[in-house]
Coordinates of all heavy atoms in Angstrom, one line a residue:
M52 N -49.2 49.4 -78.5 CA -49.1 49.4 -77.1 C -50.6 49.3 -76.6 O -51.5 49.9 -77.2 CB -48.5 50.7 -76.6 CG -48.7 50.9 -75.2 SD -48.1 52.1 -74.2 CE -47.5 53.5 -75.1
D53 N -50.8 48.5 -75.7 CA -52.3 48.4 -75.1 C -52.4 49.3 -73.9 O -51.5 49.7 -73.2 CB -52.5 47.0 -74.5 CG -52.4 45.9 -75.7 OD1 -52.8 46.2 -76.7 OD2 -52.2 44.7 -75.4
T54 N -53.6 49.9 -73.8 CA -54.0 50.8 -72.8 C -55.2 50.3 -72.0 O -55.9 49.4 -72.5 CB -54.2 52.2 -73.3 OG1 -55.4 52.2 -74.2 CG2 -53.0 52.8 -74.0
L55 N -55.3 50.8 -70.8 CA -56.5 50.3 -70.0 C -57.8 51.1 -70.5 O -58.9 50.5 -70.3 CB -56.3 50.7 -68.6 CG -55.1 49.9 -67.9 CD1 -54.8 50.3 -66.5 CD2 -55.4 48.3 -67.9
A56 N -57.6 52.2 -71.0 CA -58.8 53.0 -71.5 C -58.8 53.3 -72.9 O -57.7 53.6 -73.3 CB -58.9 54.3 -70.6
R57 N -59.9 53.4 -73.5 CA -59.8 53.6 -75.0 C -59.7 55.1 -75.2 O -59.2 55.5 -76.2 CB -61.2 53.1 -75.6 CG -61.4 51.6 -75.6 CD -62.5 51.3 -76.4 NE -63.1 49.9 -76.6 CZ -62.5 48.8 -76.2 NH1 -61.4 48.8 -75.7 NH2 -63.1 47.6 -76.4
S58 N -60.2 55.8 -74.3 CA -60.0 57.3 -74.5 C -60.1 57.9 -73.1 O -60.5 57.3 -72.1 CB -61.1 57.9 -75.4 OG -62.4 57.8 -74.7
S59 N -59.6 59.2 -73.0 CA -59.5 59.8 -71.7 C -60.8 60.6 -71.6 O -61.4 61.2 -72.5 CB -58.3 60.6 -71.8 OG -58.6 61.9 -71.4
S60 N -61.3 60.8 -70.4 CA -62.5 61.5 -70.0 C -62.4 62.2 -68.7 O -61.5 61.7 -67.9 CB -63.8 60.6 -70.1 OG -63.7 59.8 -69.1
C61 N -63.0 63.3 -68.5 CA -62.9 64.0 -67.4 C -64.4 64.6 -67.0 O -65.0 65.1 -68.0 CB -62.0 65.2 -67.5 SG -61.8 66.2 -66.0
C62 N -64.8 64.5 -65.8 CA -66.2 64.9 -65.5 C -66.0 65.8 -64.2 O -65.1 65.6 -63.4 CB -67.0 63.8 -65.2 SG -67.4 62.7 -66.6
H63 N -66.8 66.7 -64.1 CA -66.8 67.6 -62.8 C -68.3 67.6 -62.2 O -69.3 67.8 -63.0 CB -66.4 69.0 -63.2 CG -66.4 70.0 -62.0 ND1 -67.4 70.8 -61.8 CD2 -65.5 70.2 -61.0 CE1 -67.2 71.4 -60.7 NE2 -66.0 71.1 -60.1
V64 N -68.4 67.3 -60.9 CA -69.6 67.4 -60.2 C -69.4 68.1 -59.0 O -68.4 67.9 -58.2 CB -70.0 66.0 -59.9 CG1 -71.3 65.9 -59.1 CG2 -70.3 65.1 -61.3
R65 N -70.4 68.9 -58.7 CA -70.2 69.7 -57.4 C -71.2 69.0 -56.4 O -72.5 68.9 -56.7 CB -70.6 71.2 -57.5 CG -70.6 71.9 -56.2 CD -70.6 73.4 -56.5 NE -69.5 73.7 -57.2 CZ -68.8 75.0 -57.2 NH1 -69.6 75.9 -56.5 NH2 -67.8 75.3 -57.9
L66 N -70.7 68.6 -55.2 CA -71.6 68.1 -54.1 C -71.7 69.1 -53.1 O -70.8 69.5 -52.5 CB -70.9 66.7 -53.7 CG -71.6 65.9 -52.7 CD1 -72.9 65.4 -53.2 CD2 -70.6 64.7 -52.2
R67 N -72.9 69.5 -52.9 CA -73.2 70.5 -51.7 C -73.6 69.7 -50.5 O -74.6 68.9 -50.6 CB -74.2 71.5 -52.2 CG -73.8 72.3 -53.3 CD -74.8 73.5 -53.7 NE -74.4 74.2 -54.8 CZ -73.6 75.3 -54.8 NH1 -73.3 75.8 -53.6 NH2 -73.3 76.0 -55.8
I68 N -73.0 70.0 -49.5 CA -73.4 69.4 -48.1 C -73.5 70.6 -47.2 O -72.8 71.4 -46.9 CB -72.2 68.5 -47.7 CG1 -72.0 67.4 -48.7 CG2 -72.6 68.0 -46.3 CD1 -70.8 66.6 -48.4
T69 N -74.7 70.4 -46.5 CA -75.1 71.4 -45.4 C -74.8 70.8 -44.0 O -75.5 69.7 -43.8 CB -76.5 71.9 -45.6 OG1 -76.7 72.5 -46.8 CG2 -76.8 72.9 -44.5
S70 N -74.1 71.3 -43.2 CA -73.9 70.8 -41.9 C -74.9 71.3 -40.9 O -75.4 72.4 -41.1 CB -72.5 71.0 -41.4 OG -72.2 72.4 -41.3
L71 N -75.2 70.5 -39.9 CA -76.2 71.0 -38.9 C -75.5 71.5 -37.5 O -76.1 72.1 -36.8 CB -77.1 69.9 -38.5 CG -77.9 69.4 -39.8 CD1 -78.7 68.1 -39.4 CD2 -78.7 70.5 -40.4
R72 N -74.2 71.1 -37.3 CA -73.5 71.4 -36.1 C -72.1 71.9 -36.4 O -71.6 71.7 -37.6 CB -73.3 70.1 -35.2 CG -74.6 69.5 -34.8 CD -74.4 68.2 -33.9 NE -73.2 67.5 -34.2 CZ -73.3 66.3 -34.7 NH1 -74.5 65.7 -34.9 NH2 -72.2 65.5 -35.0
P73 N -71.5 72.6 -35.5 CA -70.1 73.1 -35.8 C -69.1 72.0 -36.2 O -68.3 72.3 -37.0 CB -69.7 73.8 -34.6 CG -71.0 74.2 -33.8 CD -71.9 73.1 -34.2
T74 N -69.1 70.9 -35.5 CA -68.3 69.7 -35.8 C -69.2 68.6 -36.2 O -70.0 68.1 -35.4 CB -67.5 69.3 -34.5 OG1 -66.6 70.5 -34.2 CG2 -66.5 68.2 -34.9
E75 N -69.1 68.2 -37.4 CA -70.0 67.1 -38.0 C -69.2 66.4 -39.0 O -68.4 66.9 -39.8 CB -71.2 67.7 -38.6 CG -72.2 66.8 -39.1 CD -73.4 67.4 -39.5 OE1 -73.7 68.6 -39.4 OE2 -74.3 66.7 -39.9
F76 N -69.4 65.0 -39.0 CA -68.8 64.2 -40.0 C -69.9 63.6 -40.9 O -70.9 63.1 -40.4 CB -68.2 63.0 -39.2 CG -67.1 63.4 -38.3 CD1 -67.3 63.6 -37.0 CD2 -65.8 63.7 -38.8 CE1 -66.4 63.9 -36.1 CE2 -64.8 64.1 -37.9 CZ -65.1 64.3 -36.6
V77 N -69.8 63.8 -42.2 CA -70.8 63.4 -43.1 C -70.1 62.3 -44.1 O -69.2 62.7 -44.7 CB -71.2 64.6 -44.0 CG1 -72.2 64.3 -44.9 CG2 -71.8 65.7 -43.0
D78 N -70.8 61.3 -44.1 CA -70.2 60.1 -45.0 C -70.8 60.3 -46.4 O -72.0 60.3 -46.5 CB -70.7 58.8 -44.3 CG -70.2 57.6 -45.0 OD1 -69.4 57.7 -46.1 OD2 -70.3 56.5 -44.7
I79 N -69.9 60.5 -47.3 CA -70.4 60.8 -48.7 C -70.1 59.6 -49.6 O -70.2 59.7 -50.9 CB -69.8 62.0 -49.3 CG1 -68.3 62.0 -49.3 CG2 -70.3 63.3 -48.5 CD1 -67.6 63.2 -50.0
T80 N -69.7 58.4 -49.0 CA -69.3 57.3 -49.8 C -70.3 56.9 -50.7 O -70.1 56.6 -51.9 CB -68.9 56.2 -48.8 OG1 -67.9 56.5 -47.9 CG2 -68.4 54.9 -49.6
D81 N -71.6 56.7 -50.3 CA -72.7 56.3 -51.2 C -72.9 57.2 -52.3 O -73.2 56.8 -53.5 CB -73.9 56.1 -50.3 CG -73.9 54.9 -49.4 OD1 -73.0 54.0 -49.5 OD2 -74.7 54.9 -48.4
R82 N -72.9 58.5 -52.0 CA -73.0 59.5 -53.1 C -72.0 59.4 -54.2 O -72.3 59.6 -55.4 CB -73.2 60.9 -52.5 CG -74.5 61.1 -51.8 CD -74.6 62.5 -51.3 NE -74.3 62.6 -49.9 CZ -74.5 63.6 -49.1 NH1 -74.8 64.7 -49.6 NH2 -74.4 63.5 -47.9
L83 N -70.7 59.2 -53.7 CA -69.6 59.2 -54.7 C -69.7 57.9 -55.4 O -69.5 57.9 -56.7 CB -68.3 59.3 -53.9 CG -68.0 60.5 -53.2 CD1 -66.7 60.5 -52.4 CD2 -68.0 61.7 -54.1
S84 N -70.0 56.8 -54.8 CA -70.1 55.4 -55.4 C -71.2 55.5 -56.5 O -71.0 55.0 -57.7 CB -70.5 54.4 -54.5 OG -69.4 54.2 -53.5
A85 N -72.4 56.1 -56.2 CA -73.4 56.3 -57.2 C -73.0 57.1 -58.4 O -73.3 56.8 -59.5 CB -74.7 56.9 -56.5
W86 N -72.2 58.2 -58.1 CA -71.8 59.1 -59.2 C -70.9 58.3 -60.1 O -70.9 58.4 -61.3 CB -71.3 60.4 -58.7 CG -70.7 61.2 -59.8 CD1 -71.4 62.0 -60.5 CD2 -69.4 61.2 -60.3 NE1 -70.6 62.6 -61.5 CE2 -69.4 62.1 -61.3 CE3 -68.1 60.6 -60.0 CZ2 -68.2 62.5 -62.1 CZ3 -67.1 60.7 -60.7 CH2 -67.1 61.8 -61.8
V87 N -69.9 57.6 -59.6 CA -69.0 56.8 -60.3 C -69.7 55.7 -61.2 O -69.4 55.6 -62.4 CB -67.9 56.1 -59.5 CG1 -67.0 55.2 -60.3 CG2 -67.0 57.2 -58.8
R88 N -70.6 55.0 -60.6 CA -71.4 54.1 -61.3 C -72.2 54.7 -62.5 O -72.2 54.2 -63.6 CB -72.4 53.3 -60.5 CG -71.9 52.2 -59.7 CD -73.0 51.4 -59.0 NE -73.9 52.1 -58.2 CZ -73.7 52.5 -56.9 NH1 -72.6 52.0 -56.3 NH2 -74.5 53.1 -56.2
A89 N -72.8 55.9 -62.3 CA -73.6 56.6 -63.3 C -72.6 57.1 -64.4 O -73.1 57.3 -65.6 CB -74.3 57.6 -62.7
S90 N -71.4 57.4 -64.1 CA -70.5 57.9 -65.0 C -70.1 56.9 -66.2 O -69.7 57.4 -67.3 CB -69.2 58.6 -64.5 OG -68.3 57.4 -64.0
G91 N -70.1 55.7 -65.8 CA -69.8 54.7 -66.7 C -68.2 54.4 -66.8 O -67.7 53.6 -67.5
V92 N -67.5 55.1 -65.9 CA -66.1 54.9 -65.9 C -65.7 53.8 -65.0 O -66.3 53.7 -63.9 CB -65.4 56.2 -65.4 CG1 -63.9 56.0 -65.1 CG2 -65.6 57.4 -66.3
D93 N -64.9 52.8 -65.4 CA -64.6 51.7 -64.6 C -63.1 51.7 -64.2 O -62.8 50.9 -63.4 CB -64.9 50.4 -65.3 CG -64.3 50.2 -66.6 OD1 -63.4 51.0 -67.1 OD2 -64.6 49.3 -67.4
T94 N -62.2 52.5 -64.9 CA -60.9 52.6 -64.4 C -60.4 54.1 -64.3 O -60.8 54.9 -65.3 CB -59.9 51.9 -65.4 OG1 -60.4 50.6 -65.4 CG2 -58.5 51.9 -65.0
G95 N -59.8 54.5 -63.2 CA -59.4 55.9 -63.2 C -59.2 56.4 -61.8 O -59.1 55.5 -60.9
H96 N -59.3 57.6 -61.6 CA -59.1 58.3 -60.3 C -60.3 59.1 -60.0 O -60.8 59.8 -60.9 CB -57.9 59.2 -60.3 CG -56.6 58.4 -60.6 ND1 -55.9 57.8 -59.6 CD2 -55.9 58.2 -61.7 CE1 -54.9 57.3 -60.1 NE2 -54.8 57.5 -61.5
L97 N -60.6 59.2 -58.7 CA -61.7 60.1 -58.2 C -61.0 61.1 -57.4 O -60.4 60.8 -56.3 CB -62.7 59.3 -57.5 CG -63.9 60.2 -56.8 CD1 -64.7 60.9 -57.9 CD2 -64.8 59.3 -56.0
N98 N -61.0 62.3 -57.7 CA -60.5 63.5 -56.9 C -61.6 64.1 -56.1 O -62.5 64.7 -56.7 CB -59.8 64.5 -57.8 CG -59.2 65.6 -57.1 OD1 -59.0 65.5 -55.9 ND2 -58.9 66.7 -57.8
V99 N -61.5 64.2 -54.8 CA -62.5 64.9 -53.9 C -61.7 65.9 -53.2 O -60.7 65.7 -52.6 CB -63.2 63.8 -53.0 CG1 -64.1 64.6 -52.0 CG2 -63.8 62.7 -53.7
Q100 N -62.3 67.1 -53.3 CA -61.6 68.3 -52.5 C -62.7 69.2 -51.9 O -63.8 69.1 -52.4 CB -60.7 69.0 -53.4 CG -61.5 69.8 -54.6 CD -60.5 70.3 -55.5 OE1 -59.5 69.6 -56.0 NE2 -60.6 71.5 -55.9
S101 N -62.2 69.8 -50.9 CA -63.2 70.7 -50.2 C -62.8 72.1 -50.7 O -61.6 72.6 -50.8 CB -62.9 70.7 -48.8 OG -63.5 71.7 -48.1
L102 N -63.8 72.9 -50.9 CA -63.6 74.4 -51.4 C -63.8 75.4 -50.2 O -63.8 76.5 -50.5 CB -64.6 74.6 -52.5 CG -64.5 73.8 -53.8 CD1 -65.5 74.2 -54.9 CD2 -63.0 73.9 -54.4
H103 N -64.0 74.9 -49.0 CA -64.3 75.6 -47.9 C -63.1 75.5 -46.9 O -62.6 74.4 -46.7 CB -65.5 75.2 -47.2 CG -66.1 76.3 -46.3 ND1 -65.5 76.6 -45.0 CD2 -67.0 77.2 -46.4 CE1 -66.2 77.5 -44.5 NE2 -67.2 78.0 -45.3
T104 N -62.6 76.7 -46.4 CA -61.4 76.6 -45.5 C -61.6 75.8 -44.2 O -60.7 75.4 -43.5 CB -61.0 78.0 -45.2 OG1 -62.0 78.7 -44.5 CG2 -60.5 78.7 -46.4
T105 N -62.9 75.8 -43.7 CA -63.2 75.0 -42.4 C -63.6 73.7 -42.6 O -64.3 73.1 -41.7 CB -64.1 75.9 -41.6 OG1 -65.3 76.1 -42.2 CG2 -63.5 77.2 -41.2
A106 N -63.5 73.2 -43.7 CA -64.0 71.7 -44.0 C -62.8 70.9 -44.4 O -61.8 71.4 -44.9 CB -65.0 71.8 -45.1
A107 N -62.9 69.6 -44.2 CA -61.8 68.7 -44.6 C -62.4 67.4 -45.2 O -63.5 67.0 -44.9 CB -60.9 68.4 -43.5
V108 N -61.7 66.8 -46.0 CA -62.0 65.4 -46.6 C -61.1 64.5 -45.9 O -59.9 64.6 -46.0 CB -61.9 65.4 -48.1 CG1 -62.1 64.1 -48.7 CG2 -62.7 66.5 -48.8
V109 N -61.6 63.5 -45.3 CA -60.9 62.5 -44.6 C -61.3 61.1 -45.1 O -62.5 60.8 -45.1 CB -61.1 62.5 -43.1 CG1 -60.4 61.4 -42.3 CG2 -60.8 63.9 -42.5
V110 N -60.4 60.3 -45.4 CA -60.6 58.9 -45.8 C -60.3 58.0 -44.6 O -59.2 57.9 -44.1 CB -59.7 58.4 -47.0 CG1 -59.9 57.1 -47.4 CG2 -59.9 59.5 -48.1
N111 N -61.4 57.4 -44.1 CA -61.4 56.6 -43.0 C -62.6 55.7 -42.9 O -63.6 55.9 -43.6 CB -61.1 57.4 -41.7 CG -60.3 56.7 -40.7 OD1 -60.4 55.5 -40.5 ND2 -59.6 57.4 -39.9
E112 N -62.5 54.7 -42.1 CA -63.7 53.9 -41.8 C -64.8 54.7 -41.0 O -64.4 55.5 -40.2 CB -63.3 52.6 -41.0 CG -62.5 51.7 -41.8 CD -62.3 50.4 -41.1 OE1 -63.1 49.9 -40.4 OE2 -61.1 49.9 -41.2
H113 N -66.0 54.5 -41.4 CA -67.1 55.1 -40.6 C -67.4 54.4 -39.3 O -68.3 53.6 -39.1 CB -68.3 55.2 -41.4 CG -69.4 56.1 -41.0 ND1 -69.3 57.5 -41.0 CD2 -70.6 55.9 -40.3 CE1 -70.3 58.1 -40.5 NE2 -71.1 57.1 -40.0
E114 N -66.5 54.5 -38.3 CA -66.5 53.9 -37.1 C -67.0 54.9 -36.0 O -66.3 55.8 -35.7 CB -65.1 53.3 -36.7 CG -65.0 52.6 -35.3 CD -66.0 51.5 -35.2 OE1 -66.0 50.7 -36.2 OE2 -66.5 51.3 -34.1
P115 N -68.1 54.7 -35.4 CA -68.7 55.7 -34.4 C -67.7 56.1 -33.4 O -67.6 57.2 -33.0 CB -69.9 55.0 -33.8 CG -70.4 54.1 -34.9 CD -69.0 53.6 -35.5
L116 N -67.0 55.2 -32.7 CA -66.1 55.5 -31.6 C -64.9 56.3 -32.1 O -64.4 57.3 -31.4 CB -65.6 54.3 -30.9 CG -66.7 53.4 -30.1 CD1 -66.1 52.1 -29.5 CD2 -67.3 54.3 -29.0
L117 N -64.4 55.9 -33.3 CA -63.3 56.8 -33.9 C -63.8 58.2 -34.2 O -63.0 59.1 -33.9 CB -62.8 56.1 -35.2 CG -61.7 56.8 -35.9 CD1 -60.5 56.9 -35.1 CD2 -61.3 56.1 -37.2
L118 N -65.0 58.3 -34.7 CA -65.5 59.7 -35.0 C -65.8 60.4 -33.7 O -65.5 61.7 -33.7 CB -66.9 59.6 -35.8 CG -66.7 58.9 -37.2 CD1 -68.1 58.8 -37.8 CD2 -65.8 59.7 -38.1
A119 N -66.1 59.8 -32.7 CA -66.2 60.5 -31.4 C -64.9 60.9 -30.9 O -64.8 62.0 -30.3 CB -66.9 59.6 -30.3
D120 N -63.9 60.1 -31.1 CA -62.5 60.6 -30.7 C -62.1 61.8 -31.5 O -61.4 62.7 -31.0 CB -61.5 59.4 -30.9 CG -61.7 58.3 -29.8 OD1 -62.3 58.6 -28.8 OD2 -61.1 57.3 -30.0
F121 N -62.3 61.7 -32.8 CA -62.0 62.9 -33.7 C -62.7 64.2 -33.3 O -62.1 65.2 -33.1 CB -62.3 62.6 -35.1 CG -61.5 61.8 -35.9 CD1 -61.9 60.9 -37.0 CD2 -60.0 61.8 -35.5 CE1 -61.0 60.2 -37.7 CE2 -59.2 61.0 -36.3 CZ -59.6 60.2 -37.4
E122 N -64.0 64.0 -33.0 CA -64.8 65.2 -32.5 C -64.3 65.7 -31.2 O -64.1 66.9 -31.1 CB -66.3 64.8 -32.4 CG -67.1 65.9 -32.2 CD -68.6 65.7 -32.2 OE1 -68.9 64.5 -32.5 OE2 -69.4 66.5 -32.0
S123 N -63.9 64.8 -30.3 CA -63.4 65.3 -29.0 C -62.1 66.1 -29.2 O -61.8 67.1 -28.5 CB -63.1 64.1 -28.1 OG -62.6 64.5 -26.9
L124 N -61.1 65.5 -30.0 CA -59.9 66.1 -30.3 C -60.2 67.5 -31.0 O -59.4 68.5 -30.5 CB -59.0 65.3 -31.2 CG -57.7 65.8 -31.7 CD1 -56.8 66.0 -30.5 CD2 -57.2 65.0 -32.8
L125 N -61.0 67.6 -31.9 CA -61.3 68.9 -32.6 C -61.8 69.9 -31.6 O -61.4 71.1 -31.6 CB -62.2 68.6 -33.8 CG -61.6 67.9 -34.9 CD1 -62.7 67.6 -36.0 CD2 -60.5 68.7 -35.6
E126 N -62.7 69.5 -30.7 CA -63.3 70.4 -29.8 C -62.2 70.9 -28.8 O -62.3 72.1 -28.4 CB -64.4 69.8 -29.1 CG -65.7 69.5 -29.9 CD -66.3 70.7 -30.4 OE1 -66.3 71.7 -29.8 OE2 -66.8 70.5 -31.6
R127 N -61.3 70.1 -28.4 CA -60.3 70.5 -27.4 C -59.2 71.4 -28.1 O -58.8 72.3 -27.4 CB -59.6 69.3 -26.9 CG -60.2 68.5 -25.9 CD -59.4 67.5 -25.2 NE -58.5 66.6 -26.0 CZ -58.8 65.5 -26.5 NH1 -59.9 64.9 -26.1 NH2 -58.0 64.8 -27.3
T128 N -59.0 71.3 -29.4 CA -58.0 72.1 -30.1 C -58.4 73.3 -30.6 O -57.7 74.2 -31.0 CB -57.2 71.1 -31.1 OG1 -58.2 70.7 -32.1 CG2 -56.5 70.1 -30.5
A129 N -59.8 73.4 -30.9 CA -60.2 74.6 -31.5 C -60.6 75.7 -30.6 O -61.0 75.5 -29.5 CB -61.5 74.2 -32.3

């Protein structure tokens, strides 16, 4: 049977982010891409999770007007 990977591997990296405002969107795409390139893994899954209850991980385009809409919605509902 052929497989995509010769062996299985798992890595753990902690990414610390300090926010400057109560509601802030931080694009971590470049940091994650650099980490994946440095890992040497070319096929697999990247799991990103938040360890803080007031933070969230959102997958979306970094579109300024969309982020402004998100921020407005969060400010109204919080």
Side-chain angles (χ1 to χ4, degrees):
M52 172 176 14
D53 293 333
T54 61
L55 295 175
R57 293 193 187 342
S58 65
S59 131
S60 66
C61 180
C62 301
H63 177 262
V64 174
R65 181 171 292 205
L66 180 62
R67 292 183 186 268
I68 299 171
T69 302
S70 60
L71 303 174
R72 299 185 322 250
T74 302
E75 185 172 357
F76 301 97
V77 180
D78 186 354
I79 60 172
T80 304
D81 292 340
R82 289 184 251 185
L83 295 177
S84 295
W86 179 81
V87 170
R88 277 192 305 277
S90 75
V92 174
D93 59 7
T94 302
H96 299 276
L97 175 64
N98 177 19
V99 178
Q100 63 187 49
S101 167
L102 299 178
H103 198 283
T104 59
T105 60
V108 177
V109 177
V110 177
N111 211 327
E112 293 183 37
H113 192 75
E114 176 62 41
L116 293 176
L117 179 61
L118 296 178
D120 287 346
F121 279 153
E122 186 170 4
S123 175
L124 175 67
L125 289 170
E126 293 297 328
R127 286 193 313 265
T128 59

